[in-house]
Amino acid sequence: ARNDLQQLRRIIGTLEKIPGISLAQSSTDNVEIMPPHVNKGRGMSDLAEHLGIPLANTMAIGDQDNDLPMIRIAGLGVAMGNATGEVKSYAHLITETNTRDGVARAILRYALGVSDGQP
């Protein structure tokens, strides 16, 4: 409800003032609290380095603001059709929504080069 969202915004405002933490959201009704510099982009970068894969050869697919760090650093950043406006603005391209198999379509088309006959 509206009061819950206002309360969450106040909580986030208070948390943002605490040094030594990082905040992210994976939906409009939660907040994730992590150590600084811990995010999906850092995890993706560390994994790519461990596997010897250049970031230019990676693809990240996401829909929420907690996905922004990996969308930004991926060689190909893909936003889901139901992604937030900010995620879409940083993505290289936009796939279908989560209910229309967007992840599968993006993997088939852009990672495996298989046309699924859909935009």
Side-chain angles (χ1 to χ4, degrees), residues 87-108:
V87 171
K88 287 179 180 178
S89 74
Y90 282 100
H92 296 101
L93 54 94
I94 300 170
T95 188
E96 288 281 354
T97 65
N98 57 334
T99 59
R100 294 184 47 99
D101 303 323
V103 171
R105 291 174 193 261
I107 291 170
L108 285 170

Side-chain angles (χ1 to χ4, degrees), residues 12-43:
I12 291 170
T14 300
L15 290 172
E16 288 175 330
K17 297 173 187 172
I18 299 173
I21 64 171
S22 174
L23 303 176
Q25 285 187 265
S26 58
S27 73
T28 58
D29 62 357
N30 79 342
V31 63
E32 300 166 6
I33 306 168
M34 300 160 292
H37 311 296
V38 171
N39 59 56
K40 290 183 177 186
R42 179 66 185 263

Side-chain angles (χ1 to χ4, degrees), residues 36-110:
H37 311 296
V38 171
N39 59 56
K40 290 183 177 186
R42 179 66 185 263
M44 183 173 160
S45 176
D46 288 352
L47 179 61
E49 182 180 338
H50 176 75
L51 297 174
I53 300 169
L55 283 173
N57 294 345
T58 64
M59 180 173 75
I61 306 170
D63 62 353
Q64 296 295 319
D65 291 350
N66 68 333
D67 297 318
L68 279 170
M70 71 176 179
I71 295 286
R72 287 177 162 172
I73 67 162
L76 181 63
V78 181
M80 299 294 295
N82 56 288
T84 66
E86 190 169 8
V87 171
K88 287 179 180 178
S89 74
Y90 282 100
H92 296 101
L93 54 94
I94 300 170
T95 188
E96 288 281 354
T97 65
N98 57 334
T99 59
R100 294 184 47 99
D101 303 323
V103 171
R105 291 174 193 261
I107 291 170
L108 285 170
R109 179 172 286 168
Y110 304 109

